[in-house]
Amino acid sequence: MPPVKVNVKWKGKNYEVELDTDASASDFKAQLFSMTEVEPSRQKIMIKGGILKDDTDLKTLNIKEGASIMLPKEPAKKTLFIEDMTDRQLAETVSQLIFLSHIFITQLILMLISRLKNLGNTCYMNATLQCLRTIPELQESLNRFPNSVTSPDLQITLTTSLRDLYKQLNRTTESYVPFTFLQALRSAFPQFDQRNANGYMQQDAEECWTQIVTSLNNANIPVHRLQDGSTSSEGSTSSSSNDYFVKHQIINLIISLKCVDAPDEPESTTHSTFTKLSCITSEKDLNYMQSGILMALDENIEKDSPSLGHIANYTKISRISRLPSYLTVGFVRFWWKNNRQIRTKITRRVQFPFDYDAYDLCTDELKQKIGPLRAHILEREKEKDSAKRKAKLSVNSNEKETAESKNDSNVSEVDEEVKKLIDPDLEKDIGANVSGLYELCAVLTHIGRSADSGHYIGWARKHDSPEEWVKYDDDKVSIVPQSEIQKLDGGGGSAY
């Protein structure tokens, strides 16, 4: 069924909302959350004489164009004093106080984590900024950017605003209002300034990510300073960019084109530079990120054939000739639905790993360079896992302590062994990955069915606790276990 426009009434305001009747009721609640900041679990939506439930089939409600939907204001919570409590309420309160010290510590940690205020459908920007902030080299580069830049270049202004925003986040424990950066973003890229009758429109986080990284590239942040004070340009991957941060993002591809219809036509090879890989999510039998990336790298296309003089079929094979130290993978979740003329979302579950091996995506030459170190690290990881399993099974605590001290004593020896396995060319290339191995450090998710609505959330691994992650839901920040990240592979809150 085609979407219908409805009027949502909340706190005396009217919001014109496009309701997708093919979507779930929970998706509609997420859509309202992005506008009103009322959490879906606390929404009591009055529709068709009753309260909308998460499992309600919207198509069965036969909602008409222009229908009114009530979203009542959340009732204020009444303060309950001890003398007014029942015996049961008092007992429950006492049991909760037993964990007060743990709760206090958790709350103290959360107070120290900076958060960004939503300025009206700006969750796409907030989630992007929090994920980018996990890259230390970005802040290092920004801190070297000139303190005062008088330039008409809007992308330089955007870079300066990003530098100042991150500095402020590092100094405050309160919710920060990113108004100056938002103004700079909308000035540099007017698509983020689009509005409708209800205010600013929701935008695409992937576009925001791309435009910010492009601006940092074009603004030419100073390159890394070596210990002797000189600057290094060795290993430069692009004639148009020599900046330190972007070098940690640059992916070099070698692309081969072979004509299927004319096998005798010479194969052509080109070189190209990107800042992220794409992962296809639309295929029915596709369940893993690695398969989706390979599907995007190996394509069948149509183009003009110089030997045949007309459009012909080609195989397009792309392989990576340079891996960055930070690999960005974009899940292709949105696609254009011609029959309804809207962008809709692919919610298929595509699993992503916490530890990723990019070896199979590389050219043979790069495989030879990263191969020795990669094999050594993987073997060491197997040994560590085996030692952990043995330690868990051991009943002798002295044996455990001996094993741990033995591992600690070998650290410096292992470091020297690792250094010898790094390829000399890759070692000179600032920002290059030297092993092809990665650890997941951030995830950006989207809730909802359409790119023009819904809600974006950023998730980042805690640097001091690998098993814990920080959930950045605008200015609502919480600490979650790593198991929660595994649930983001599809469905309502899909990795994007």
Side-chain angles (χ1 to χ4, degrees):
M1 292 178 65
V4 294
K5 290 185 178 179
V6 297
N7 296 311
V8 177
K9 297 181 179 180
W10 180 71
K11 281 189 175 182
K13 295 181 181 179
N14 288 324
Y15 296 86
E16 187 179 77
V17 180
E18 190 176 81
L19 174 60
D20 185 357
T21 53
D22 289 333
S24 65
S26 59
D27 286 338
F28 179 54
K29 287 185 176 183
Q31 189 176 357
L32 294 182
F33 169 60
S34 68
M35 296 186 298
T36 65
E37 296 189 19
V38 178
E39 294 181 10
S41 61
R42 298 202 299 223
Q43 290 179 15
K44 306 296 181 185
I45 301 172
M46 307 297 294
I47 187 169
K48 290 288 184 179
I51 296 177
L52 183 67
K53 297 181 179 179
D54 288 346
D55 58 355
T56 301
D57 187 347
L58 296 178
K59 291 192 287 292
T60 64
L61 299 178
N62 194 26
I63 301 170
K64 304 294 184 184
E65 187 84 12
S68 294
I69 296 176
M70 293 294 297
L71 180 60
K73 184 179 178 181
E74 297 176 88
K77 292 183 179 179
K78 184 180 178 181
T79 303
L80 187 62
F81 297 97
I82 292 177
E83 56 267 26
D84 298 325
M85 290 182 181
T86 64
D87 290 343
R88 182 176 179 178
Q89 289 172 325
L90 190 59
E92 289 176 351
T93 302
V94 171
S95 66
Q96 289 173 0
L97 288 174
I98 294 174
F99 302 101
L100 181 60
S101 59
H102 300 287
I103 295 171
F104 175 75
I105 292 171
T106 301
Q107 290 301 320
L108 184 61
I109 293 172
L110 290 174
M111 285 172 61
L112 299 175
I113 299 175
S114 302
R115 67 273 327 265
L116 293 167
K117 197 76 177 174
N118 192 313
L119 301 177
N121 279 339
T122 58
C123 57
Y124 70 92
M125 181 188 77
N126 291 346
T128 298
L129 291 174
Q130 295 289 19
C131 288
L132 277 172
R133 194 166 170 238
T134 63
I135 304 176
E137 288 81 1
L138 171 56
Q139 294 192 55
E140 289 174 23
S141 295
L142 288 170
N143 288 337
R144 290 195 295 273
F145 203 70
N147 287 327
S148 58
V149 178
T150 54
S151 170
D153 191 328
L154 295 176
Q155 296 189 51
I156 288 181
T157 303
L158 183 72
T159 302
T160 318
S161 298
L162 182 61
R163 178 202 65 195
D164 295 342
L165 182 145
Y166 282 153
K167 282 184 177 180
Q168 288 298 323
L169 286 180
N170 292 333
R171 294 170 184 165
T172 184
T173 57
E174 299 179 354
S175 296
Y176 183 73
V177 180
F179 183 69
T180 302
F181 179 80
L182 180 60
Q183 282 186 313
L185 179 68
R186 287 172 174 167
S187 297
F189 304 102
Q191 69 261 39
F192 300 113
D193 198 30
Q194 292 177 316
R195 311 182 199 193
N196 56 23
N198 297 319
Y200 287 100
M201 296 171 59
Q202 180 68 281
Q203 298 295 333
D204 190 333
E206 189 272 339
E207 289 183 12
C208 182
W209 179 290
T210 301
Q211 299 294 24
I212 290 174
V213 172
T214 300
S215 295
L216 293 170
N217 184 0
N218 294 339
N220 195 22
I221 301 174
V223 297
H224 178 52
R225 293 278 172 182
L226 301 179
Q227 288 183 350
D228 61 3
S230 63
T231 59
S232 172
S233 60
E234 290 182 288
S236 178
T237 60
S238 169
S239 59
S240 63
S241 171
N242 64 350
D243 93 75
Y244 183 48
F245 161 65
V246 176
K247 281 189 172 186
H248 288 76
Q249 293 268 307
I250 289 292
I251 305 163
N252 282 0
L253 287 180
I254 294 180
I255 304 168
S256 301
L257 282 172
K258 181 66 178 175
C259 185
V260 177
D261 299 335
D264 294 334
E265 183 178 301
E267 181 177 318
S268 64
T269 302
T270 56
H271 297 256
S272 193
T273 298
F274 297 87
T275 54
K276 66 176 180 295
L277 294 177
S278 293
C279 173
I280 302 298
T281 63
S282 56
E283 295 300 317
K284 291 181 180 179
D285 297 328
L286 196 152
N287 300 308
Y288 300 97
M289 186 182 81
Q290 179 78 336
S291 302
I293 294 175
L294 285 169
M295 193 170 292
L297 292 177
D298 298 348
E299 302 176 87
N300 292 316
I301 64 170
E302 291 183 342
K303 66 179 287 291
D304 186 59
S305 167
S307 63
L308 298 176
H310 59 74
I311 299 295
N313 295 308
Y314 282 79
T315 57
K316 180 182 177 183
I317 307 297
S318 303
R319 287 296 178 266
I320 297 173
S321 58
R322 182 200 190 258
L323 282 166
S325 53
Y326 293 90
L327 183 65
T328 303
V329 180
F331 282 34
V332 184
R333 291 277 184 198
F334 297 124
W335 62 289
W336 185 254
K337 210 167 187 177
N338 284 321
N339 61 335
R340 288 167 54 189
Q341 293 295 294
I342 60 169
R343 275 211 300 172
T344 189
K345 183 179 172 185
I346 301 166
T347 58
R348 179 176 184 80
R349 294 195 177 279
V350 178
Q351 296 180 25
F352 53 87
F354 287 97
D355 297 293
Y356 180 61
D357 185 354
Y359 183 81
D360 290 339
L361 311 180
C362 301
T363 61
D364 290 340
E365 183 181 356
L366 184 55
K367 283 179 178 179
Q368 290 180 357
K369 289 182 177 181
I370 65 176
L373 179 58
R374 169 182 172 271
H376 176 78
I377 293 174
L378 292 177
E379 185 60 35
R380 286 286 301 169
E381 290 301 319
K382 286 181 182 179
E383 291 174 3
K384 285 182 183 178
D385 290 341
S386 177
K388 285 180 182 178
R389 286 193 296 271
K390 288 180 181 178
K392 285 181 180 179
L393 295 172
S394 175
V395 294
N396 189 334
S397 60
N398 290 331
E399 288 182 17
K400 292 182 183 180
E401 291 177 5
T402 302
E404 289 174 1
S405 61
K406 184 178 180 181
N407 286 335
D408 292 339
S409 64
N410 288 338
V411 169
S412 58
E413 190 177 316
V414 169
D415 287 344
E416 288 302 316
E417 190 176 352
V418 166
K419 287 179 183 178
K420 294 176 183 177
L421 296 173
I422 299 175
D423 181 85
D425 292 336
L426 295 181
E427 189 174 17
K428 293 177 184 177
D429 186 353
I430 295 173
N433 181 302
V434 296
S435 68
L437 303 175
Y438 292 89
E439 290 181 337
L440 187 65
C441 62
V443 180
L444 196 153
T445 59
H446 177 266
I447 302 171
R449 290 278 177 178
S450 168
D452 303 320
S453 61
H455 186 61
Y456 289 96
I457 297 174
W459 313 70
R461 183 195 292 267
K462 280 190 69 186
H463 69 279
D464 58 344
S465 178
E467 297 301 316
E468 290 184 317
W469 285 63
V470 182
K471 178 182 178 181
Y472 292 101
D473 188 353
D474 291 325
D475 59 347
K476 301 177 185 68
V477 176
S478 57
I479 297 172
V480 299
Q482 184 166 278
S483 57
E484 289 298 307
I485 307 303
Q486 294 174 316
K487 300 175 184 177
L488 304 176
D489 55 356
S494 308
Y496 179 45

